[in-house]
Amino acid sequence: DVKVTQSSRYLVKRTGEKVFLECVQDMDHENMFWYRQDPGLGLRLIYFSYDVKMKEKGDIPEGYSVSREKKERFSLILESASTNQTSMYLCASSTTGYGYTFGSGTRLTVV
Amino acid sequence: AQSVTQLDSQVPVFEEAPVELRCNYSSSVSVYLFWYVQYPNQGLQLLLKYLSGSTLVESINGFEAEFNKSQTSFHLRKPSVHISDTAEYFCAVSDHSGGYQKVTFGIGTKLQVIP
């Protein structure tokens, strides 16, 4: 089975800190995605990448950046964490036509 | 642009009763359709998908969904639910007009199975 591993299940950070969320997949998928999930809002796409060193903005990229230096790793960076970035963050990977495989999620709390 | 509407945010149902979770989509091109399930404090898992061919697709745990192009719907059904089906269910759509797959999700439906 494809595995998508997110480095932390729970994370607490202070306002203004730089935060790194790491995601690794082990099936050579081309596409990788970062979503945030909030009650009543569903999943919203932050950034995605369809190749190494390529990145595209999703629907809510403000306050975030990403890095994809290797095919298997896709990092989400919160440049200066704010309380409104408290959320569940989900990483996913895919190869065209087969749906997404999600990681277990990282629940980030910014205080 | 594509979009997904899940009409019910919460669906309570008694154990062993049937259930239908509704999903409608809009897209100007041909689509792939998916249902994902999320158990508490976990990521999303793919439940079933429609890519092409038979419009009725099934999952290994008894759920099924039917692609209805004329009604732009992809409702999820199960004839008899179990307590373990309590979870949040997300409908999703992607078009296959581009070289990569961007999926749009609905806001989710919480299925609560009552003993």
Side-chain angles (χ1 to χ4, degrees), chain A residues 12 15 25 37 51-52 61 66 76 81 86-88 94-95 102-103 105:
Chain A
V12 180
T15 301
Q25 52 97 1
Q37 182 181 15
D51 202 353
V52 177
V66 291
L76 179 70
T86 291
S87 186
M88 169 73 95
S94 78
T95 190
F102 281 87

Side-chain angles (χ1 to χ4, degrees), chain A residues 9-10 31 33 35 37 40-43 45 48 50 59 88 90 94-100 102-104 107, chain B residues 32 34 36 38 40-46 49 51 88 90 96 98-108:
Chain A
R9 289 298 304 273
Y10 300 93
N31 310 315
F33 307 83
Y35 286 85
Q37 182 181 15
L41 298 176
L43 276 72
L45 182 63
F48 63 101
Y50 52 89
D59 301 317
M88 169 73 95
L90 294 168
S94 78
T95 190
T96 302
Y98 291 91
Y100 286 9
F102 281 87
S104 299
R107 189 167 293 281
Chain B
Y32 298 141
F34 307 88
Y36 288 84
Q38 185 180 34
N41 296 314
Q42 294 186 25
L44 277 70
Q45 302 172 34
L46 182 63
K49 61 187 177 186
L51 302 181
E88 190 160 17
F90 293 87
H96 40 97
Y100 55 86
Q101 181 188 28
K102 182 184 172 185
V103 177
T104 300
F105 290 85
I107 64 169

Side-chain angles (χ1 to χ4, degrees), chain B residues 12-32:
Chain B
V13 62
F14 286 106
E15 192 174 16
E16 298 184 2
V19 70
E20 178 180 83
L21 306 183
R22 296 179 291 170
C23 172
N24 288 90
Y25 70 92
S26 67
S27 175
S28 57
V29 297
S30 297
V31 296
Y32 298 141

Side-chain angles (χ1 to χ4, degrees), chain B residues 41-59:
Chain B
N41 296 314
Q42 294 186 25
L44 277 70
Q45 302 172 34
L46 182 63
L47 187 61
L48 47 76
K49 61 187 177 186
Y50 169 78
L51 302 181
S52 64
S54 173
T55 58
L56 184 66
V57 291
E58 298 177 354
S59 72

